[in-house]
Amino acid sequence: MSGRTRGIKDVLWALALAGLVAGAFRLWFGLGATTNLTDAVPWGLWKILNMVAGVAISTSGFTVGFLVYVLKMERFKPLMKPAILVAFLGYGCSCLALLFDIGLPHRFWHPFVMWNEHSFLFEVFWCVILYFTVTSIELAPLVFDKLKAEKVSRFLHRIAFGAVIVGISLSSLHHSSLGSLFLVTPQRLHPLWYTPLLPLLFIISAMGAGMMFLVLLKILYARWYDPVSIFGPRDERRRLVLILTGKGKEAEEMGPARGRDLPMVVGLASIATGILGVYLLLQIFNLFYHGAWQALDVASWETWLFAFELFIAAVLPLALVWSPRTRYSPRALGIAAFSASAGLALNRLDVGIFGYFHDAAQIYFPSLAEWALSVGVVAAAGLAFFFFVENFPVFDDDWFERRRISRMVEASFDSLSRVWRTALKSGLERASLIGVVVVPLAWILMYPPYGEPDPPEVRPAAGMNVTRTQLRIDGNQAGVQTEFPHEDHKERLGGEESCVTCHHMALPEDETTPCFRCHTHLVDSTMIFDHEEHEAFVAEEEGFGGPYPENHTCAVCHTQGVTKTAETAKSCMDCHQEDTDWDQEVEEDPTVDLARAVSYMEAMHENCMGCHQDEAVKQDRPELRDCSTCHSSLTPRDHPVRALADQQVRGGSTSMAGGG
Amino acid sequence: MSAAILVDVTKCTGCERCVDACVEENGLDPVQAQKDRATTEDGLSDNRLLSILQVEDGRFARMSCMHCVEPSCVSACLVGGITKTPEGPVVYDPDKCIGCRYCMLACPFHVPRYEWDETVPFMKKCAMCFQRLNDGLEPACVEACPNDALHFGERDDLLRKAHDLIASNRGSYVDRVWGEHEFGGTSVLYISDVDLASLGWPAPDTEAIPSLTEPLIEKTPFIGLSVAGGLLGLNWIIQRRRRLGAEAVAAQDEGAGGATGPAASEAVPEGEDEGEEAKLAERSSP
């Protein structure tokens, strides 16, 4: 019996362990390094999928409680314990994921003592925490029954009804409030999803889809542990094939293949799809009520997503459950339940993520670590689910008896398989084996520092023509550029003699080393002194035959007996003055660190602005001082607009000012 | 008193001296600020709380926190970590923040920034130099502006000044003070000769965002209590029906002289639903 779920559990272990690695990276390296969240998309997968959708899918705890305890629909009583388990695990794993999502997890308790009762998030926090407590109380009898703590158990059973009432009240609040969270973004959320009815839509869809999720779990449980209860004794697959191939009559002759629990499950699915039907009508009503139909546009992907979401969330489940042909088919029921659950998740992703893309003007796709943690937390909940159903009577009370028999049968198999089984018998052993494979793999794939982008490089001032009479200075390559009449400046300043005015330092045996050669970073200063190369060069010049013999090379620049630092070393210009052919001596400012090149931008500004400011006074042309002289985009209104190429580049209405 | 800043877009040349002053005043890294200027969409980052945006060719506008009169972020923050001070600025308390980033989602101007690169991150935004205000100084950006494009003062005074400027320079301004009514009013006001929709300004009559949520959330306790009350009431009705129904069945059984004993009185068959119970209850009424 455990063989059916062993493969699934192995996968869940692998996913959960990968999630663990992702969680560790998140805590160690921070949100920016591990997620693809940005200032434009502050809420991502963890909050929307795990929290908003995860809580919404776990509604069966209160809906089935309502049916059984308040409406006294006793026939759904067998689903009560599974429903509570779903609620407990759903809320538990949502809270866990949220702990990783918030920037300061160690302050998760702040909302307990710091209140803002105007915030829907505050309400959601309190309701979720209180409801999680309620589900724990509701689930506790299961554990205490097994522990044979009868007094506790009796007490818990006595307060069960009260717990259900409190649970439903809390649920009615926070499931709608999860929708209200998005009411604060009327300008940002896409009109197809933004509506004042969000709270109502959220709670109704959560109620319907939550029950459908329970249906799905019941069917899966039956498949794995108790097939007769749902699938019945007959060959259901053959029946479905007959129906799908158009041989409906033969299928009817086979008669309905019903397990003993199937009518109950269909009953719940009928109620659930009834609620989803109301949800569908409400969505359609909302299109007109809020005027969102104006946003329906065949050309926008949002419209198709919206339609697809409604189709899988409501239309398909309704059709499958209410069509007489598929109503009692467990397979179709399973598809309907899966579709409704996926539809709910998609709706929450739409409202919380996809609906903001048009506003953020960028696409958010979760990083690998985000996926890993998101899925890993759910996988952990899945493992907990298996633990509960295999060790406590959740779905059916005679589970232990059946497992005892099946173990006896298993034990009677040949010794070879027993060896295999004992080797990998304990779940923990298997899990640690999986861990040995998965953890290093996840580590390698998700290690955050690998993903860091390279710093922007400075591009040389490109010649606009072969003779370099006109240069285009575009250090940041962002299209914000400055055109520099190189030849014009050279002539005006006195021909070849004037090169040194701007080319203040040159590489040995060079006269006009271009700016970008040293000023390599757009906004950051960089180290340009190559110590190793200097050593080698000095050794060769002085005939030492190698860089280090008896520290002779050091003595060329560093004073002996003093700590060797850049400050105590010989001035650069002591050697480099001879190296250049400059007639004019470069003034040496002791405060300037020649080994460090200032940023490209600073270099350009300092190089140009000194002369420009002097000339502005000398020639009485104040406009020479203006930013607009070089940066056409900074043209003040009173100055003649210079028609420059970069106007074409910056077509947009709002863009960064200035140049590079 | 309620302090505010008036931005005269016609006077701004985009020199960004206000940005430099802001970076210095807030102790931010100027090199990183320059990097962020080149790499972010709107020049705002956790290290650059103020930015100059080009609205049109040759038209620039200061972009930062608008210090709304009814701020959405203040209403959204679940721990009350952001407050609208009586002095005007909207200020953030890093000691309360848990890092949920709801303020970033709630802000209609996309202003709050997050320290994504930090392991212990906080939200960052302009606080209108709240400390300087307390010391009787103007905000650093206003002080740094060489072109008289930024004015600091009481919000009411600045509004009057703005309308005066528009009236006395008829034709050279659009007849609108951005920030007077939008989202319930802001404490950063704009006058301009070009439209400022690209800064994120909506129609003038756009209501304050808290007015969309706060009336709703005030009803929360009543909704919760009335749901609980309704449930108890419903439960009572159904319990009573069941009891009456069971008594009727017992009475019938006795009348027929059939099976006796306590088992018969509990004979409410499983799978009973409300409709059938109602019928039973009706039968029992005479």
Side-chain angles (χ1 to χ4, degrees):
Chain A
M1 207 168 260
S2 60
R4 290 182 200 219
T5 54
R6 178 163 285 170
I8 296 166
K9 280 184 218 157
D10 287 349
V11 173
L12 290 180
W13 270 110
L15 293 173
L17 288 168
L20 200 65
V21 176
F25 281 161
R26 144 74 188 95
L27 293 179
W28 187 257
F29 292 100
L31 283 169
T34 44
T35 70
N36 283 348
L37 296 172
T38 59
D39 287 323
V41 186
W43 281 19
L45 200 63
W46 296 343
K47 245 195 210 99
I48 305 302
L49 190 68
N50 291 80
M51 181 67 199
V52 180
V55 162
I57 207 87
S58 317
T59 43
S60 52
F62 92 88
T63 47
V64 177
F66 177 69
L67 296 179
V68 173
Y69 281 92
V70 180
L71 295 185
K72 310 287 179 208
M73 294 183 171
E74 302 284 342
R75 62 187 160 133
F76 294 127
K77 190 138 195 189
L79 289 175
M80 195 57 215
K81 277 188 259 178
I84 291 168
L85 181 62
V86 168
F88 177 74
L89 293 178
Y91 278 70
C93 82
S94 298
C95 293
L96 184 65
L98 205 59
L99 266 184
F100 286 93
D101 178 88
I102 61 172
L104 305 163
H106 57 287
R107 291 183 175 178
F108 75 93
W109 52 272
H110 272 198
F112 285 122
V113 290
M114 300 168 192
W115 287 26
N116 178 13
E117 59 279 8
H118 296 298
S119 168
F120 268 111
L121 197 59
F122 174 76
E123 189 201 322
V124 168
F125 173 86
W126 269 97
C127 286
V128 165
I129 294 287
L130 289 177
Y131 185 65
F132 185 55
T133 315
V134 169
T135 57
S136 312
I137 292 170
E138 287 179 312
L139 193 67
L142 208 61
V143 181
F144 285 109
D145 278 349
K146 188 168 184 191
L147 294 175
K148 309 225 183 311
E150 278 168 21
K151 268 191 180 171
V152 183
S153 206
R154 217 176 304 136
F155 170 72
L156 288 170
H157 280 296
R158 207 178 301 153
I159 62 166
F161 180 73
V164 169
I165 297 292
V166 173
I168 298 171
S169 309
L170 288 170
S171 298
S172 70
L173 293 179
H174 71 260
H175 282 291
S176 51
S177 295
L178 280 168
S180 308
L181 286 182
F182 301 96
L183 285 181
V184 298
T185 55
Q187 279 75 26
R188 299 174 70 168
L189 186 55
H190 194 278
L192 277 177
W193 288 290
Y194 184 84
T195 156
L197 297 183
L198 267 176
L200 197 58
L201 289 171
F202 262 52
I203 190 167
I204 290 179
S205 60
M207 282 162 63
M211 283 192 231
M212 286 305 265
F213 186 61
L214 187 65
V215 167
L216 179 67
L217 285 181
K218 171 71 185 170
I219 292 171
L220 287 176
Y221 175 82
R223 254 192 89 78
W224 294 327
Y225 297 97
D226 194 9
V228 183
S229 69
I230 291 288
F231 295 89
R234 293 265 188 87
D235 185 357
E236 167 60 13
R237 181 179 296 204
R238 193 167 157 259
R239 207 176 79 88
L240 196 73
V241 168
L242 287 176
I243 291 172
L244 292 175
T245 49
K247 294 173 188 156
K249 272 226 170 107
E250 280 178 49
E252 270 169 39
E253 279 164 18
M254 281 179 71
R258 292 180 194 178
R260 60 175 191 283
D261 285 347
L262 191 58
M264 170 183 77
V265 175
V266 171
L268 190 68
S270 306
I271 297 174
T273 45
I275 296 172
L276 289 177
V278 174
Y279 168 67
L280 183 65
L281 291 177
L282 199 63
Q283 276 280 17
I284 293 167
F285 163 75
N286 177 54
L287 278 182
F288 298 96
Y289 165 75
H290 190 55
W293 61 273
Q294 289 163 336
L296 288 171
D297 177 7
V298 194
S300 82
W301 57 271
E302 280 102 344
T303 304
W304 293 104
L305 188 62
F306 180 72
F308 177 67
E309 170 209 313
L310 275 189
F311 177 76
I312 64 167
V315 179
L316 186 63
L318 262 171
L320 285 173
V321 172
W322 290 94
S323 151
R325 276 186 161 188
T326 49
R327 188 169 167 85
Y328 283 97
S329 151
R331 204 165 287 266
L333 210 54
I335 294 170
F338 177 76
S339 172
S341 310
L344 179 82
L346 183 60
N347 170 260
R348 299 313 192 249
L349 289 174
D350 286 345
V351 174
I353 296 177
F354 299 131
Y356 288 96
F357 281 178
H358 78 115
D359 170 74
Q362 68 182 73
I363 299 291
Y364 155 80
F365 189 81
S367 70
L368 191 60
E370 281 180 278
W371 282 112
L373 184 70
S374 202
V375 174
V377 167
V378 177
L383 287 172
F385 175 81
F386 278 116
F387 171 78
F388 271 102
V389 299
E390 287 182 0
N391 293 287
F392 298 96
V394 176
F395 277 90
D396 51 345
D397 293 341
D398 49 354
W399 147 251
F400 289 103
E401 186 55 24
R402 279 188 287 112
R403 187 173 65 164
R404 201 172 59 79
I405 295 167
S406 82
R407 285 215 169 141
M408 278 161 64
V409 174
E410 273 182 33
S412 65
F413 280 137
D414 60 312
S415 55
L416 186 70
S417 70
R418 199 180 301 160
V419 171
W420 172 245
R421 211 175 300 120
T422 41
L424 289 173
K425 195 175 174 189
S426 137
L428 275 180
E429 275 173 45
R430 282 181 75 87
S432 48
L433 242 148
I434 293 166
V436 169
V437 180
V438 169
V439 170
L441 191 71
W443 192 287
I444 291 165
L445 285 176
M446 293 187 292
Y447 190 62
Y450 292 155
E452 278 176 14
D454 297 329
E457 274 176 30
V458 168
R459 201 164 57 175
M464 286 173 72
N465 47 34
V466 185
T467 55
R468 300 179 70 84
T469 49
Q470 190 89 354
L471 291 178
R472 178 177 292 162
I473 298 173
D474 185 15
N476 65 358
Q477 305 169 44
V480 188
Q481 54 196 309
T482 298
E483 291 196 8
F484 175 65
H486 187 240
E487 195 64 30
D488 180 45
H489 274 76
K490 195 168 113 186
E491 272 169 29
R492 216 155 349 109
L493 297 174
E496 297 290 332
E497 303 289 300
S498 67
C499 291
V500 69
T501 316
C502 300
H503 295 273
H504 56 102
M505 236 176 131
L507 287 168
E509 292 163 34
D510 190 7
E511 289 177 21
T512 53
T513 304
C515 315
F516 81 96
R517 180 64 182 72
C518 295
H519 304 284
T520 51
H521 199 284
L522 181 68
V523 290
D524 230 343
S525 62
T526 40
M527 203 64 179
I528 53 168
F529 180 75
D530 191 336
H531 195 264
E532 218 170 290
E533 202 168 290
H534 276 77
E535 273 176 348
F537 178 78
V538 167
E540 201 190 322
E541 281 288 287
E542 307 282 327
F544 289 149
Y548 295 111
E550 293 157 7
N551 283 345
H552 282 311
T553 42
C554 304
V556 175
C557 300
H558 294 282
T559 318
Q560 293 294 72
V562 184
T563 319
K564 296 183 185 65
T565 62
E567 285 74 33
T568 58
K570 198 168 162 182
S571 156
C572 299
M573 276 301 145
D574 282 2
C575 302
H576 285 278
Q577 187 66 56
E578 308 162 11
D579 264 336
T580 56
D581 284 336
W582 302 338
D583 300 332
Q584 183 180 347
E585 189 167 317
V586 174
E587 280 174 44
E588 196 167 353
D589 181 351
T591 61
V592 174
D593 181 4
L594 281 173
R596 182 169 288 279
V598 297
S599 73
Y600 187 75
M601 196 162 70
E602 201 180 331
M604 292 302 112
H605 279 148
E606 293 208 345
N607 210 357
C608 305
M609 276 159 64
C611 280
H612 271 250
Q613 268 163 2
D614 292 348
E615 292 300 314
V617 179
K618 263 190 232 165
Q619 300 181 25
D620 195 26
R621 282 171 60 198
E623 76 271 15
L624 279 181
R625 256 199 317 240
D626 283 333
C627 308
S628 57
T629 309
C630 305
H631 302 284
S632 61
S633 57
L634 295 182
T635 309
R637 54 181 8 211
D638 299 322
H639 291 156
V641 176
R642 297 184 356 174
L644 284 176
D646 71 0
Q647 282 184 359
Q648 298 161 358
V649 185
R650 44 177 47 257
S653 55
T654 303
S655 57
M656 289 296 307
Chain B
M1 79 169 245
S2 177
I5 295 173
L6 173 64
V7 183
D8 189 341
V9 173
T10 62
K11 295 225 175 96
C12 178
T13 59
C15 70
E16 301 197 341
R17 269 181 223 179
C18 49
V19 181
D20 293 343
C22 175
V23 166
E24 199 187 328
E25 172 65 29
N26 288 291
L28 305 171
D29 177 5
V31 171
Q32 185 59 41
Q34 283 295 353
K35 282 184 197 167
D36 292 344
R37 178 185 185 276
T39 52
T40 57
E41 182 82 5
D42 56 3
L44 290 178
S45 77
D46 57 328
N47 204 55
R48 203 168 187 272
L49 312 181
L50 174 64
S51 147
I52 295 295
L53 289 177
Q54 185 169 358
V55 185
E56 251 178 43
D57 219 30
R59 292 294 177 283
F60 305 93
R62 174 193 183 280
M63 181 68 201
S64 190
C65 177
M66 298 294 179
H67 299 281
C68 306
V69 174
E70 294 175 62
S72 177
C73 56
V74 171
S75 162
C77 180
L78 81 164
V79 289
I82 311 176
T83 37
K84 173 80 179 172
T85 57
E87 293 90 342
V90 175
V91 296
Y92 164 75
D93 180 359
D95 291 339
K96 284 187 174 177
C97 183
I98 65 166
C100 73
R101 311 186 294 283
Y102 192 32
C103 51
M104 304 177 67
L105 195 73
C107 176
F109 292 103
H110 306 62
V111 162
R113 300 288 132 156
Y114 206 59
E115 294 179 317
W116 296 105
D117 295 333
E118 302 291 327
T119 311
V120 181
F122 295 96
M123 185 272 272
K124 283 288 190 75
K125 77 166 193 68
C126 157
M128 217 198 258
C129 291
F130 188 54
Q131 196 49 52
R132 284 174 63 97
L133 260 56
N134 284 345
D135 298 343
L137 296 167
E138 290 187 333
C141 53
V142 178
E143 198 180 77
C145 183
N147 295 318
D148 208 23
L150 301 178
H151 305 273
F152 178 75
E154 289 290 303
R155 188 169 183 271
D156 294 338
D157 295 345
L158 287 180
L159 274 173
R160 215 172 300 126
K161 182 173 180 174
H163 283 295
D164 285 351
L165 272 170
I166 294 171
S168 56
N169 296 283
R170 200 156 287 284
S172 52
Y173 287 102
V174 176
D175 188 14
R176 174 175 174 184
V177 180
W178 283 269
E180 186 173 12
H181 303 297
E182 293 85 351
F183 296 121
T186 65
S187 295
V188 179
L189 308 161
Y190 289 79
I191 49 173
S192 167
D193 58 344
V194 292
D195 186 60
L196 297 181
S198 59
L199 289 185
W201 287 107
D205 57 348
T206 308
E207 54 188 331
I209 286 175
S211 68
L212 299 172
T213 57
E214 289 190 357
L216 204 58
I217 200 160
E218 278 168 11
K219 298 194 187 95
T220 300
F222 306 107
I223 295 172
L225 288 175
S226 49
V227 167
L231 291 173
L232 289 173
L234 196 60
N235 182 58
W236 183 79
I237 292 168
I238 291 171
Q239 288 274 41
R240 186 166 174 276
R241 278 184 177 176
R242 280 166 61 94
R243 202 184 63 237
L244 292 175
E247 280 168 7
V249 171
Q252 271 181 358
D253 286 350
E254 263 171 40
T260 53
S265 65
E266 287 168 21
V268 179
E270 269 196 31
E272 198 80 294
D273 70 32
E274 209 187 325
E276 282 165 312
E277 279 162 19
K279 273 180 224 152
L280 282 173
E282 274 169 25
R283 242 185 287 152
S284 72
S285 50

